[in-house]
């Protein structure tokens, strides 16, 4: 079966002229003319990036999803390919409703009609890994049911094996192939798919995000109905709204698009800097807007997380970029541990300035957060700085939010919108408010430790005393052993002298 899949991949690659990506390398230069003569009939007028996108779409949903993930690695890809891969849409034909019902009845152990009051057999959405049906719970609550595609795990395993084979080919053909780390890119893709194949993990992501934005005036997250969820089925509240990409419909409903665009930036930075837990797949297909102008988030398979160190690093970098303080950017990299400790600050500062000054020659409202982060990643590679996966996800999220915000309001000034948020966050982290907040967070731990301090101090002193006594005893023992050895040597010498004198008589 895998052989047939490989042959299909080769056939599609030839049809769309993807051999161009390989024949440009010296190791296979000899076959370039032969391939050109054999496949002279191919229409290759389209740019290479367009042909690559169309080939991935022809290869099926797993390759489409791989292209989507690959488009986030703009630190590795040429801009034309990254831009084109970002256009890939994860829309595939639905699988039969009979298979959906079979999965539900196996999970619940009883007929679907006994589980749900109503169940719509026609799906409202279908993607590479799962599809969504509408239903009603026994109490009449409207829900959306996400069901995994049957047998998708084995399909993914086969395609991942082929992708790893392709990664090995890239390493062999390209002298710079190992630096691109193609196997790590495939592994990163596999991790995303692993999460998406376990709908309980997606349900927990949705539940966490909903809790973070409970009562928010700008973002709604569907409720998860845990009693109906399993690793293959996720049941959540049905959400109503207009797709955010339908700008004219939103305008007709009286939605304030300028306010909506600013709210999108606020939501993004709240997730990143307040919670350290953010929706990393915020493309327009996953966002609805209510008539009141509130966002509705959908599809929680890909989420990013940031540590306090990550958040501090990002906030300081963004503020330093805004102030054009490139030396501070370099110092933050080293202080945060992203750059090696022996990195020369002046060299790193000069490299960052050379990349970023042309960006700041443009009006601030035209400058992209995501692009600045991308340029930073590209410059960092020259100084042996490994880009962290969570920061790659953040870059993808920022690009999505920026594109969305400027589609809603072309005049949106992202820097002016985000700068007060960043400054307030930094103040809360390093000022008195941050100190008080950290004291509150540590108070339960201190409450446990403080009563134990006298005993712990006594035990530490006893251990220190015992250690000191042991060291002194060991020193005395060593000294005694040295004396004994010296005395034995003297006795031996005296005995030898006495023996010689007796012999001389």
């Amino acid at each position: 079966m895998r052989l047939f899949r490989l042959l299909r991949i080769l056939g599609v690659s030839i049809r769309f002229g993807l051999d161009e990506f390989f024949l440009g390398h010296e190791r296979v230069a000899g076959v370039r003319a032969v391939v050109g003569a054999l496949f002279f009939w191919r229409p290759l007028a389209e740019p290479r990036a367009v042909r690559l996108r169309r080939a991935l779409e022809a290869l099926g949903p797993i390759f489409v999803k791989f292209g989507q993930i690959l488009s986030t690695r703009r630190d590795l890809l040429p801009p034309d390919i990254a831009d084109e891969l970002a256009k890939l849409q994860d829309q595939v034909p639905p699988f039969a409703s009979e298979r959906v019902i079979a999965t539900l009845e196996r999970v619940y152990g009883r007929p679907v009609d006994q589980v749900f009051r109503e169940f719509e057999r026609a799906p409202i959405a279908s993607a590479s890994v799962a599809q969504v049906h509408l239903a009603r719970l026994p109490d009449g609550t409207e829900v959306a049911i996400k069901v995994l595609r049957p047998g998708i795990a084995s399909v993914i395993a086969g395609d991942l094996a082929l992708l790893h084979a392709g990664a090995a080919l890239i390493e062999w053909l390209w002298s710079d192939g190992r630096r691109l780390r193609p196997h790590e890119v495939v592994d990163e893709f596999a991790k995303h798919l692993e999460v998406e194949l376990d709908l309980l993990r997606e349900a927990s992501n949705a539940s966490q995000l909903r809790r973070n934005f409970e009562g928010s005036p700008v973002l709604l997250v569907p409720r998860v109905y845990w009693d109906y969820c399993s690793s293959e089925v996720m049941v959540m509240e049905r959400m109503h709204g207009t797709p955010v990409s339908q700008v004219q419909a939103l305008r007709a409903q009286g939605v304030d698009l300028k306010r909506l665009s600013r709210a999108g930036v606020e939501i993004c930075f709240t997730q990143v800097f307040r919670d350290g837990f953010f929706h990393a797949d915020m493309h327009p297909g996953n966002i609805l807007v209510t008539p009141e102008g509130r966002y509705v988030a959908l599809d929680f398979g890909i989420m990013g997380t940031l540590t306090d160190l990550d958040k501090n690093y990002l906030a300081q970098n963004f503020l330093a970029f805004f102030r054009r303080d490139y030396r501070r950017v370099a110092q933050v990299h080293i202080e945060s541990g992203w750059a090696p400790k022996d990195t020369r600050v002046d060299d790193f500062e000069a490299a960052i300035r050379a990349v970023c000054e042309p960006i700041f020659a443009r009006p601030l409202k035209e400058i992209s957060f995501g692009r600045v982060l991308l340029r930073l990643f590209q410059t960092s590679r020259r100084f042996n700085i490994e880009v962290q996966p969570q920061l790659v996800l953040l870059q993808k999220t920022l690009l999505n939010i920026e594109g969305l915000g400027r589609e809603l309001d072309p005049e949106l000034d992202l820097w002016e919108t985000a700068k007060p948020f960043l400054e307030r966050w930094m103040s809360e982290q390093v000022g008195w408010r941050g100190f008080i907040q950290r004291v509150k967070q540590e108070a339960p731990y201190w409450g446990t430790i403080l009563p134990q301090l006298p005993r712990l101090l006594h035990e530490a002193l006893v251990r220190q005393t015992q250690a000191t006594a042991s060291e002194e005893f060991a020193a005395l023992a060593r000294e005694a052993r040295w004396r004994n050895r010296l005395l034995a040597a003297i006795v031996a010498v005296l005995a030898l002298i006495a023996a010689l004198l007796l012999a001389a008589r």
Side-chain angles (χ1 to χ4, degrees), residues 148-208:
L148 280 185
R149 284 181 173 269
I152 189 65
S154 60
V155 174
I156 288 174
D159 282 348
L160 285 175
L162 294 174
L163 287 172
H164 273 296
L169 184 62
I170 289 173
E171 289 185 348
W172 179 74
L173 286 174
W174 262 304
S175 59
D176 205 25
R178 291 188 182 277
R179 187 190 67 79
L180 296 176
R181 300 176 298 163
H183 283 290
E184 291 185 26
V185 173
V186 176
D187 287 337
E188 185 179 324
F189 174 52
K191 289 178 183 177
H192 289 304
L193 287 177
E194 182 183 354
V195 174
E196 293 196 53
L197 288 174
D198 184 356
L199 294 185
L200 281 176
R201 293 180 66 174
E202 180 174 345
S204 67
N205 289 339
S207 184
Q208 177 68 55

Side-chain angles (χ1 to χ4, degrees), residues 14 17 48 179 196 199 231 248 273 277 330 393 414 425 494:
I14 290 171
R48 63 174 186 171
R179 187 190 67 79
E196 293 196 53
L199 294 185
S231 60
Q248 295 302 324
F273 291 105
F277 183 76
L393 284 177
L414 286 157
W425 185 86
L494 291 174

Side-chain angles (χ1 to χ4, degrees), residues 103-158:
T103 297
L104 294 175
E105 292 184 347
R106 176 170 48 80
V107 168
Y108 296 128
R110 51 193 170 131
V112 170
D113 293 339
Q114 294 180 17
V115 180
F116 303 103
R117 178 188 291 184
E118 298 175 12
F119 178 80
E120 294 187 12
R121 281 160 169 73
I124 61 164
S126 179
S128 55
V129 173
Q131 68 185 35
V132 180
H133 292 254
L134 299 178
R136 285 183 184 270
L137 298 180
D139 63 0
T141 302
E142 291 184 304
V143 294
I145 305 173
K146 189 170 187 176
V147 184
L148 280 185
R149 284 181 173 269
I152 189 65
S154 60
V155 174
I156 288 174

Side-chain angles (χ1 to χ4, degrees), residues 356-372:
C356 294
E357 275 300 307
I359 295 175
F360 284 103
R362 306 171 62 186
L364 279 178
K365 68 180 182 180
E366 297 179 11
I367 298 174
S368 162
F369 269 116
R371 302 263 177 208
V372 167

Side-chain angles (χ1 to χ4, degrees), residues 189-357:
F189 174 52
K191 289 178 183 177
H192 289 304
L193 287 177
E194 182 183 354
V195 174
E196 293 196 53
L197 288 174
D198 184 356
L199 294 185
L200 281 176
R201 293 180 66 174
E202 180 174 345
S204 67
N205 289 339
S207 184
Q208 177 68 55
L209 189 63
R210 177 182 171 84
R211 187 160 57 251
N212 290 348
F213 281 85
E214 194 73 45
S216 169
V218 292
L219 179 65
L220 292 171
V221 180
R223 180 188 305 277
V224 174
Y225 294 95
W226 287 103
D227 291 342
Y228 296 87
C229 292
S230 74
S231 60
E232 296 177 78
V233 179
M234 175 181 172
V235 178
M236 61 193 137
E237 177 184 4
R238 182 186 179 183
M239 309 302 287
H240 297 273
T242 303
V244 71
S245 57
Q246 297 182 11
V247 177
Q248 295 302 324
L250 294 175
R251 188 175 285 116
Q253 294 172 19
V255 175
D256 185 341
L257 298 185
K258 289 183 178 293
R259 176 180 170 278
L260 191 64
S261 64
R262 292 192 299 271
V265 178
E266 177 188 338
I267 290 168
C268 177
F269 280 84
T270 299
Q271 291 182 62
V272 170
F273 291 105
R274 187 194 69 184
D275 305 326
F277 183 76
F278 60 94
H279 196 305
D281 200 16
M282 293 290 285
H283 62 76
N286 286 338
I287 305 173
L288 303 178
V289 178
T290 68
E292 301 79 30
R294 299 171 76 184
Y295 284 99
V296 178
L298 303 172
D299 197 344
F300 310 94
I302 304 177
M303 305 294 291
T305 57
L306 298 173
T307 64
D308 289 339
L309 181 65
D310 293 332
K311 291 188 287 185
N312 186 276
Y313 155 81
L314 288 166
Q316 290 200 53
N317 264 298
F318 280 140
L319 288 173
F321 270 121
F322 185 81
R323 297 164 181 159
R324 301 195 193 188
D325 185 355
Y326 304 122
R327 188 170 189 83
R328 183 57 191 154
V329 174
Q331 290 171 337
V332 167
H333 270 69
I334 297 171
E335 292 168 4
S336 300
W338 297 119
K341 293 297 182 185
D342 59 354
T343 301
R344 288 193 53 172
V345 174
D346 53 345
D347 288 346
F348 196 17
E349 175 191 2
I352 295 170
R353 181 185 297 109
V355 168
C356 294
E357 275 300 307

Side-chain angles (χ1 to χ4, degrees), residues 69-90:
I69 297 296
L70 196 61
S71 72
T72 68
R73 298 308 308 264
R74 291 173 176 265
D75 55 316
L76 301 178
L77 295 177
D80 63 322
I81 292 177
D83 290 340
E84 193 64 32
L85 292 184
K87 299 176 183 178
L88 286 166
Q89 295 298 311
D90 194 14

Side-chain angles (χ1 to χ4, degrees), residues 26 47 49 56 95 106 118 153 175 177 183 276 284 289 298 330 362 369 374 388 403 421 432 438 478 500:
E26 296 179 0
L56 292 175
F95 56 93
R106 176 170 48 80
E118 298 175 12
S175 59
H183 283 290
V289 178
L298 303 172
R362 306 171 62 186
F369 269 116
L374 168 62
Q388 303 299 309
F421 191 99
W432 279 105
R438 284 191 292 275
R478 285 194 299 272
L500 290 173

